Each structure stands twice: as structure tokens, then as C-alpha cells.
Amino acid sequence: MSESNIKNTEKEIIDEFELFNDWIGKYEYIIELGKKLPLIDENLKNENYEVKGCQSKVWINADYKDGYLFFKADSDALITKGIISLLIRVLSGNKPDEILNADMNFINEIGLKEHLSPNRANGLNAMISKMKNFAMVYSNQNVN
Amino acid sequence: MNIDIVNENISFDVYKLRKEFPLLDQQINGCPLVYFDNAATNQKPLSVINSIREYYETINSNVHRGIHTLSERATEAYENSREKVREFISASGSNEIIFVRGTTEAVNLAASTYGMQFINEGDEIIVSAMEHHSNLVPWQNLTSRKKALLKFIPITDNGELVMDEFKSMLNEKVKFISVVYVSNTLGTINPVKEIISAAHSYNIPVFIDAAQASPHIKIDVKELDCDFLAFSGHKTYGPTGIGILYAKEKYLDLMPPYQFGGEMIKNVSYEHTEYNNLPFKFEAGTPNISGAVSLASAIDFINEKGLLNIARHESDLLKYAENRMNEIEGMNIIGNAKNKTGVISFIINGIHPYDTGSILDNLGIAVRTGFHCTQPLIEQRYNLPGTVRISFAVYNTVEEIDRFIDGLHKVKKMLS
């Protein structure tokens, strides 16, 4: 059921972005979303939680509760915060296996990637990998 | 108001000149391109692009080995380029001009040959606090392998070398100095002649990283009396993958080869190799012939426009841009040396450079963000997360600066 949760949220985001017909609107919306990001604890802003491969600093942490993963994050750049908040909205509150299987196709659908520099696109992939790594850790725990 | 100052000094028609650069005439993200990342690499005039094509269409063959006519023509073109470079930097002899891939390779060549041979445990090498990684990491690596010490000429908050401090660092333990001529991040033009002369009173050889100088400043190695100097073709309106290492003959003679094979040999037996004369001793393998030939076209382009005209135009753009940028609240320009080329690093209070760069990119304005390959300078010296950098070339205009300023206002509106 939760797999469709992810898909539903992706669909929601795609619909929201369809309201904007230019990149400025999309960026302004992303920046707004960044302001609502569930923030990571200040003391976790260290190397263990840092996402490598971003030009801006990004930290992500996951809490595991009753079989579900909940992400928190922060960045020193606003647009980056907005992008993570989209990722968190899609992935947070789902089971590790569902997170691992998410194809995150909404990123292409909302036309975000064409407005990201290759550098930033690398950073985006690094953020997704970091989140999936958390999912992998807890997914293995379930097996044991 | 500043436009008057700009216009009266332009001694060539920048709008006509722009037509020589096909790349500039395009839309990026629906807006006409503004290319302000010239310190990373500048765009190429048609004459340079055509020279690459012409080389492959008419004389392509390997140099220094063929008996046939084409090989002779290619060799002649390649060696004529060497002569053109010699003239461009006023070197004594063309055997002091080594073709390399770029400035980075030139520094690595010097560190791996001269450095490995002549730097010993306890010796000191001096660089500055504003070096590009390419003129830092090779010396870091060398000093760590040799148990030698790497020291840094400090810089002021304005981004100028503290020359008194530098002079007090000189002693008999210092065996090599490598300093950047023009900072790629701050735009500072360093007093390299003064550095060289002070170093020579201790018989210390000096390497000048001229990567950011060659498209803007007349380089005269004889007048500077530098022992080594390097620059890159692609920052000098030429192609990528070609660069120059200049060194005084006496040093090149002392240095062992850097790479082995190809044309760097004179005689080879199964047991032993006798190396070739200068400059071929340092040019192993088939060189970047088309690169060298089109670098000569790039030098022709610069000579035709006149380096002084280019420098004056860029200096006018610099003044105009700095004045207009300072109108923006929260603007911090990083690097305010008295002597600067057309490079402006900045950060707007409360706005991450990456965000600024992303918005500008969407407006068709190409800038660089981040550390600019000078991470210690940005992080340790200035304690910043990065900067945004704009850098000018001969084809940039006041109108482009105006669009950039409008872009910054949009950035502020969206991100504040």
C-alpha cells in the first residue's frame, strides 16, 4: 500500500508543479518548500550525516519508528533545502523496502533536472543515495 | 553615469568583435547568453576554430619523423607555433618553450623533475595563500615525499600578498618559490617581479603560474627574469589540451625528463637511452600538434586586437561592474587589491553562492560558484562557504553587466 503512497505523493507534486508555467515560479515554490523542511538536530551536522558531492553543505538523518523511516535534513543553500524537502515529502514515513524501490521519477516529470547544473544533479543523486542507504540499513535489520 | 567612462576608452568595436565568437550568439534557458566564466575558460574566435579545421584538412601528419612533405609541413607549423609562443612571452630561445597540456601539467612537470631532483629533506618551498590547487597540490605532494616544508606567503583582507612577510621568509633553506601571477579567485595581480628579484638575491628559482595572466597582461619572461613560467592555451582564446612551460635553458638542462618514449630520445639500445635535446627532451609521445598550431592563431588574435586594448577594455568593465555591484545592499566583493584583472568574486549577505549561481544560470548568465579550485583560500583564509565569481574577456559588454545586475536583483528578490 505504501508503495502507492510514494507514487501518490509524487503525483501530488507533479500536479502542483503543473500550475507553474515558468522556471521562476517553480524555483520560488521550491524555495518556499525549503523553509518548511523538517530540520536535522544541530549536533548531527557533522561528517557522518553530510552528503558528499554537493557544492552546498547538506546533512540528512533518518529515524526508524515501527517499521517506518522518517527523514530530517538541512542545507546552507535555500534551493538545495527546497529540493531535499521534496525528496523527504516523497520518501519520509514509508517502509525501508518501499524507499529502496522508489524510482523518484517525479524529478524528471516536474522539469527540475533541466534547470539543475550537472553539479547540482550530481548532488541530487547523492542525496537520494544517502536516503536509500539509510533505508538499506533498516531493511537489512528487518531481515535479521 | 558610468557608461561614459567606459565608452570613451574603448578603442575597438566590441560589438563587431563579438561576431568573431560564434558561441556567444545563442540562447541559454530562453535568454541570450551572458558568458562571465572566462577565468575558467574563454571562448574561441573563428580564426582559432578554423585553424584546427584547416590543420586537419590540409597538413595533418606526425611531426619530426616523416620524410614526406606533409610531415615536414606539420613539423614546420608546430615549430612556428613554438616560435610564436617564444615571441609572445619574450623568451630568449624557442628551446625554452615546452608544449604541455596546460598549466597544471607544467607545474607537475617542474615538481616531478626539478623538484624530485633538487629538493631535499628540511628544504623549504614557498607558495602563496592564494594559489590555485594546481600550483599547491604538486608542491604539497613533493614536500611531503621529500620531508621538506611548504610555506605560504600570507595575504591581506583585500587580497594582496604581504610582501614584508614574504621577504622575511627568505633564507638559505628556501629552495624553490612558485607564485601565481594573477589570482583566479581574487583577480589580484601580484608583484611577481619584486618576488623574483628578492628570491634571486638568495639564488632561489621562481616559478610563475601565469594561467590567468596570459589573456590580460603582456608577459615578458626576460624582463621578469622568472626561471619558470606556465600558461594554458584555453584561457588565452586557444584550444584546450595545450599549454606552455617556459624555463630557462640552464634549468631545463639540469632537469631529468618527465615522461619517456616517442620523440624525447636521441639513441636507444636495449640497455640504454640517450635523451634528445631541448625542447624535445620534455615532449614524449606525439604532441598535441593541432593544439599547438591553433594556439599560434590565438596569439595572432591577441596581437591583432592588442593586449593593451584588451586590458583597458576589461579594466573598464571591471570598474563599471564593481560600481554597479556596490549599489546592491549586502554585497561583499572578495578581493579588493589595487591591481586587479577583470575578476570579481562576491557573496551577497545571507545568500548561498550556489543559489545565486543557479538563478543566474536560469537567466542565461554563466558564472562560477564554489571554491574556484582555491579551497584553502576561500575556507581557511576568508572563512566562506564559497563565492560567486564573474570574470571578463575581450568580448564582454556593459549591457551584459547591466543584465547581470538585473539578475542579482532577481536573486535577492527570490532568495531573501
Side-chain angles (χ1 to χ4, degrees):
Chain A
M1 283 310 284
S2 284
E3 146 71 344
S4 65
N5 253 353
I6 289 181
K7 277 283 159 215
N8 285 342
T9 318
E10 288 196 75
K11 177 88 177 48
E12 250 173 58
I13 293 174
I14 293 165
D15 289 346
E16 286 166 18
F17 272 79
E18 267 173 9
L19 297 174
F20 305 105
N21 43 18
D22 63 357
W23 69 269
I24 294 182
K26 289 179 188 175
Y27 261 34
E28 279 171 344
Y29 185 53
I30 287 171
I31 291 162
E32 265 325 292
L33 292 175
K35 292 174 186 164
K36 295 178 203 148
L37 182 69
L39 294 180
I40 188 171
D41 288 344
E42 279 298 314
N43 60 7
L44 297 184
K45 288 187 181 178
N46 60 45
E47 234 174 70
N48 294 334
Y49 297 92
E50 196 176 325
V51 180
K52 309 283 179 200
C54 299
Q55 234 193 62
S56 46
K57 290 214 183 273
V58 179
W59 305 268
I60 300 179
N61 187 28
D63 289 319
Y64 185 64
K65 267 180 220 145
D66 307 326
Y68 297 92
L69 265 184
F70 297 88
F71 293 100
K72 288 179 175 176
D74 200 0
S75 168
D76 57 352
L78 270 182
I79 295 174
T80 312
K81 276 174 87 158
I83 292 169
I84 315 170
S85 88
L86 285 174
L87 301 182
I88 289 186
R89 193 167 138 202
V90 170
L91 294 180
S92 211
N94 290 291
K95 290 178 177 163
D97 284 343
E98 291 154 356
I99 292 169
L100 282 172
N101 290 329
D103 62 11
M104 308 301 274
N105 199 38
F106 78 101
I107 295 164
N108 298 323
E109 297 261 339
I110 62 175
L112 184 61
K113 241 178 188 163
E114 65 201 68
H115 283 292
L116 291 178
S117 66
N119 246 331
R120 198 149 214 167
N122 281 343
L124 177 68
N125 290 335
M127 289 189 267
I128 296 171
S129 298
K130 182 97 181 171
M131 294 168 89
K132 290 202 170 193
N133 277 345
F134 279 115
M136 203 179 298
V137 169
Y138 290 104
S139 166
N140 289 341
Q141 275 188 5
N142 278 351
V143 176
N144 296 336
Chain B
M1 53 183 172
N2 295 299
I3 291 177
D4 296 338
I5 307 169
V6 173
N7 282 344
E8 76 181 19
N9 282 328
I10 293 178
S11 50
F12 55 83
D13 184 349
V14 66
Y15 305 99
K16 195 173 146 205
L17 180 142
R18 283 177 71 82
K19 297 204 171 79
E20 293 181 50
F21 290 83
L23 180 137
L24 297 176
D25 183 25
Q26 64 173 303
Q27 305 268 314
I28 298 286
N29 297 320
C31 308
L33 166 68
V34 172
Y35 188 78
F36 277 175
D37 194 18
N38 295 288
T41 195
N42 53 26
Q43 301 307 335
K44 317 308 169 197
L46 259 180
S47 57
V48 169
I49 298 167
N50 287 341
S51 72
I52 300 172
R53 186 189 172 106
E54 196 183 309
Y55 168 80
Y56 282 112
E57 282 184 350
T58 59
I59 59 171
N60 175 49
S61 52
N62 216 326
V63 290
H64 298 132
R65 49 197 90 185
I67 183 70
H68 58 84
T69 308
L70 276 187
S71 173
E72 274 173 23
R73 284 182 189 159
T75 304
E76 197 187 338
Y78 183 67
E79 290 307 320
N80 283 348
S81 298
R82 198 190 304 277
E83 174 57 23
K84 183 138 290 177
V85 172
R86 182 204 66 73
E87 200 188 333
F88 183 61
I89 61 170
S90 304
S92 305
S94 56
N95 58 345
E96 296 176 323
I97 307 296
I98 315 289
F99 284 118
V100 290
R101 279 188 298 154
T103 307
T104 302
E105 186 174 46
V107 179
N108 275 280
L109 191 159
S112 321
T113 58
Y114 186 88
M116 283 308 283
Q117 187 94 343
F118 298 108
I119 301 301
N120 297 307
E121 188 171 342
D123 288 347
E124 294 178 0
I125 292 179
I126 295 177
V127 296
S128 82
M130 61 171 87
E131 297 308 323
H132 189 283
H133 296 162
S134 291
N135 194 32
L136 166 61
V137 182
W139 305 116
Q140 239 176 23
N141 178 269
L142 175 72
T143 47
S144 110
R145 283 164 78 173
K146 292 284 193 169
K147 298 195 173 74
L149 201 61
L150 188 59
K151 292 191 155 182
F152 299 90
I153 310 168
I155 60 173
T156 64
D157 289 345
N158 275 342
E160 293 175 320
L161 297 179
V162 185
M163 289 300 285
D164 290 345
E165 191 74 28
F166 163 67
K167 284 170 189 165
S168 74
M169 290 162 78
L170 296 175
N171 61 58
E172 66 289 346
K173 278 192 276 183
V174 180
K175 293 291 157 46
F176 203 85
I177 295 171
S178 192
V179 181
V180 67
Y181 200 153
V182 174
S183 162
N184 69 311
T185 300
L186 307 170
T188 311
I189 303 173
N190 286 318
V192 288
K193 199 176 171 191
E194 194 183 339
I195 291 171
I196 293 160
S197 135
H200 283 178
S201 63
Y202 288 83
N203 293 318
I204 306 164
V206 181
F207 188 115
I208 301 297
D209 164 3
Q212 295 293 335
S214 56
H216 312 288
I217 296 174
K218 168 67 191 159
I219 296 171
D220 186 329
V221 294
K222 260 191 289 195
E223 202 223 331
L224 290 176
D225 199 23
C226 56
D227 304 285
F228 299 80
L229 180 137
F231 71 92
S232 298
H234 74 96
K235 295 194 202 283
T236 319
Y237 303 103
T240 53
I242 189 79
I244 297 300
L245 170 67
Y246 157 83
K248 285 180 180 164
E249 193 176 342
K250 65 171 177 181
Y251 288 110
L252 290 173
D253 277 337
L254 285 173
M255 285 152 59
Y258 177 48
Q259 288 176 337
F260 302 83
E263 274 305 289
M264 55 78 68
I265 51 89
K266 197 180 267 173
N267 260 308
V268 182
S269 68
Y270 283 122
E271 296 79 21
H272 177 76
T273 294
E274 191 187 337
Y275 303 128
N276 207 338
N277 298 329
L278 293 175
F280 313 112
K281 177 173 124 183
F282 292 102
E283 293 179 3
T286 296
N288 182 355
I289 309 166
S290 71
V293 170
S294 51
L295 175 59
S297 295
I299 291 173
D300 283 339
F301 168 82
I302 289 175
N303 289 339
E304 186 198 311
K305 304 302 170 203
L307 254 179
L308 267 179
N309 289 329
I310 294 173
R312 200 181 297 136
H313 175 63
E314 291 168 354
S315 163
D316 291 339
L317 293 177
L318 172 72
K319 277 181 231 146
Y320 181 74
E322 284 189 335
N323 282 337
R324 291 228 49 201
M325 286 166 75
N326 282 323
E327 292 166 9
I328 292 170
E329 211 188 302
M331 170 62 65
N332 300 288
I333 292 178
I334 313 300
N336 293 290
K338 281 193 283 294
N339 227 347
K340 271 185 77 167
T341 60
V343 170
I344 308 173
S345 259
F346 67 95
I347 185 159
I348 302 172
N349 286 346
I351 302 180
H352 196 280
Y354 209 14
D355 286 337
T356 306
S358 296
I359 305 284
L360 290 175
D361 178 51
N362 279 291
L363 295 166
I365 303 167
V367 301
R368 174 108 183 239
T369 64
F371 298 131
H372 322 297
C373 293
T374 55
Q375 192 175 354
L377 174 71
I378 301 279
E379 273 193 332
Q380 291 170 264
R381 178 61 184 79
Y382 284 109
N383 198 22
L384 294 170
T387 69
V388 184
R389 181 188 71 186
I390 58 170
S391 50
F392 302 127
V394 63
Y395 42 70
N396 288 125
T397 66
V398 167
E399 289 76 10
E400 288 181 309
I401 293 170
D402 290 339
R403 270 194 52 209
F404 162 71
I405 298 291
D406 291 345
L408 289 184
H409 285 295
K410 179 142 247 167
V411 166
K412 281 203 70 171
K413 199 172 143 226
M414 287 178 73
L415 292 166
S416 299

